[in-house]
């Protein structure tokens, strides 16, 4: 761990002799759509190592219309063609220094995608959306079979179609489906929020005044009380399309002094990345809003090396502060000669790179998750997003005639989570499912559900990684 701590300290150090480009000299200025100019500038730097893009402080606007588009499979999100503001593909030692700026996004666009890169630093900026991916509807009347909500017409415009309340976004509308009730006084999920959950699939909406809507429905238990705020955030498969920062198949990434005020998914999602350093990150809600990110603040799937998160604030998210885990994949059939046909189990993990030649894996019981055999991978072949072929160096002679899974043992990180604040969010604080060495200390943790949850499953999220070395000390719950 000491060696990896030293590595973490070195990750964010600026490179001597790095070329610094002031984006203003490239015509990239606040107050206008700079998406195309940003894409072109980044493309022009391909093959050059050791570059810093510096933004003079201001508010820079990013729109999807002229952004590059790539099909992206993003773990724990919804796969799709995604338009990208900062497409950092195949870079080495590049820094994006926002200089304290705000990067304001509009519509369905992914701010940062880092793929196949080594030595990327993102620092000194805020990420926000002019129109968030969720709605905040204030309850002004509440009866046994209906409620009346009030919507801010500028922040959360609504419309009615076929007697259903719909949320008007940048260039699309969302059904009012997934929801949670928030308490504006505590700025957190209302106490016993499950009592007020309801499915909006059968509601009947009518407009009864300026920006006021009556919603008739059968409540599961109780209607949300007057003064509470109904948070609505769409439905699958279009409610997690735009994470703020997506890291994939990369190495030595530094996130420093970044604020995420909104996102259409997680604030930070990393998959198959070696060494991620998160220092002084803030995931919080903007002034006048209760909710920050649509999903987790940070999430790490199938990473290795060291994941370090320190001196950060995670609040007002609609999901966990941090989740670290691997993935179980289903064995569909054994084809002989060490080759298995496998299937990625959860639809929000489709497209996952499960393993590559040289990785150590465990053949496990799909029912008990107990390991049956350890070996290494000699060959893989991706068939499509859902299925792949994998060949193992050796297979037990008495292969069980029972449901089987595979677990990657190579890609589990050590974790340091220290001196952070988690509060006023839906769901959990920390989910830790990694075989690496874990240190959780000097944190303030006040989440809706478990402060720290250690578990694995092979039937819902298929998150693998039985823990072996976890230290929890000096935390306030």
């Amino acid at each position: 761990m000491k060696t990896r701590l030293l590595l973490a300290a070195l990750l964010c150090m600026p490179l001597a002799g790095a070329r610094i480009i002031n984006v203003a000299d490239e015509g990239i200025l606040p107050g206008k759509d700079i998406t195309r100019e940003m894409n072109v500038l980044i493309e022009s730097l391909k093959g050059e190592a050791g570059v810093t893009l510096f933004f003079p402080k201001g508010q820079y606007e990013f729109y999807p219309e002229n952004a590059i588009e790539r099909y992206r499979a993003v773990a724990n999100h919804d796969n799709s063609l995604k338009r990208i503001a900062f497409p950092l593909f195949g870079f080495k030692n590049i820094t994006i220094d926002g200089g304290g700026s705000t990067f304001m996004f509009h519509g369905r666009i992914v701010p940062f995608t880092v793929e196949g890169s080594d030595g990327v630093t993102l620092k000194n900026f805020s990420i926000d959306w002019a129109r968030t991916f969720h709605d905040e509807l204030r309850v002004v009347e509440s009866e046994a079979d209906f409620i009346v909500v009030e919507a801010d017409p500028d922040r959360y415009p609504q419309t009615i179609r076929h007697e259903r309340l719909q949320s008007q976004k940048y260039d699309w509308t969302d059904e009012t489906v997934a929801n949670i009730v928030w308490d504006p006084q505590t700025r957190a999920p209302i106490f016993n929020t499950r009592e007020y959950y309801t499915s909006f699939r059968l509601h009947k909406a009518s407009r009864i005044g300026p920006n006021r809507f009556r919603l008739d429905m059968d409540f599961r238990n109780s209607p949300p009380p007057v003064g509470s705020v109904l948070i609505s955030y769409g439905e699958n498969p279009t409610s997690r399309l735009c994470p703020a920062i997506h890291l994939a198949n990369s190495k030595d990434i530094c996130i420093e002094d970044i604020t995420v005020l909104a996102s259409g998914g997680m604030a930070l999602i990393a998959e198959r990345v070696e060494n991620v350093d998160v220092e002084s990150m803030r995931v919080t809600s903007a002034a006048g809003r209760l909710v920050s990110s649509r999903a987790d603040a940070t999430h790490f799937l199938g990473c290795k090396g060291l994941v370090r998160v320190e001196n950060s604030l995670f609040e007002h998210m609609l999901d966990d502060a941090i989740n670290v885990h691997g993935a179980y994949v289903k064995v569909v059939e054994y084809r002989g000669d060490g080759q298995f046909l496998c299937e990625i189990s959860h639809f929000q993990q489709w497209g996952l790179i499960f393993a590559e030649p040289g990785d150590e894996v465990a053949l496990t019981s799909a029912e008990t998750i107990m390991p049956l055999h350890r070996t290494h991978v000699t060959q893989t072949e991706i068939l499509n997003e859902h299925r792949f072929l994998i060949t193992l160096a050796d297979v037990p002679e008495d292969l069980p005639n029972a449901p089987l899974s595979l677990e990657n043992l190579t890609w589990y990180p050590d974790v340091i989570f220290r001196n952070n604040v988690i509060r006023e969010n839906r769901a959990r604080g920390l989910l830790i499912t990694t075989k690496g060495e874990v240190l959780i200390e000097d944190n303030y943790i006040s989440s809706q559900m478990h402060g720290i949850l250690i578990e694995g499953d092979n039937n819902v999220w298929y998150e693998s990684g039985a823990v072996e070395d976890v230290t929890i000390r000096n935390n306030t719950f």
Side-chain angles (χ1 to χ4, degrees), residues 248-291:
N249 308 302
S250 296
K251 181 180 179 181
D252 298 343
I253 309 299
C254 179
I255 307 295
E256 180 183 347
D257 195 17
I258 288 179
T259 299
V260 178
L261 299 169
S263 61
M266 296 173 182
L268 170 64
I269 168 68
E271 51 185 311
R272 207 169 177 85
V273 178
E274 181 177 358
N275 302 322
V276 184
D277 195 77
V278 179
E279 172 67 36
S280 301
M281 184 180 187
R282 293 165 297 278
V283 179
T284 184
S285 55
R289 299 201 299 244
L290 293 174
V291 167

Side-chain angles (χ1 to χ4, degrees), residues 57 221 322 448:
K57 188 174 182 179
N221 295 304
I322 181 172
Q448 178 202 20

Side-chain angles (χ1 to χ4, degrees), residues 55 60 62 86 96 98 101-105 112 125-128:
F55 289 75
Y60 296 84
F62 297 86
F86 291 82
I96 309 297
S101 297
T102 295
F103 295 160
M104 183 64 72
F105 296 88
F112 288 87
F125 57 81
S126 297
I127 293 173
D128 199 2

Side-chain angles (χ1 to χ4, degrees), residues 223-234:
V226 170
S228 64
V229 177
L230 181 68
I231 309 295
S232 173
Y233 44 98

Side-chain angles (χ1 to χ4, degrees), residues 272 302 304 353-362 374-380 390-393 407-411:
R272 207 169 177 85
K304 71 177 182 180
I353 297 177
F354 170 73
E356 292 180 334
D359 288 353
E360 185 181 12
V361 297
R374 293 172 70 136
T375 184
H376 68 273
V377 178
T378 61
Q379 186 176 352
T380 62
I390 187 168
T391 303
L392 306 183
E407 175 185 6
N408 192 319
L409 303 177
T410 296
W411 286 82

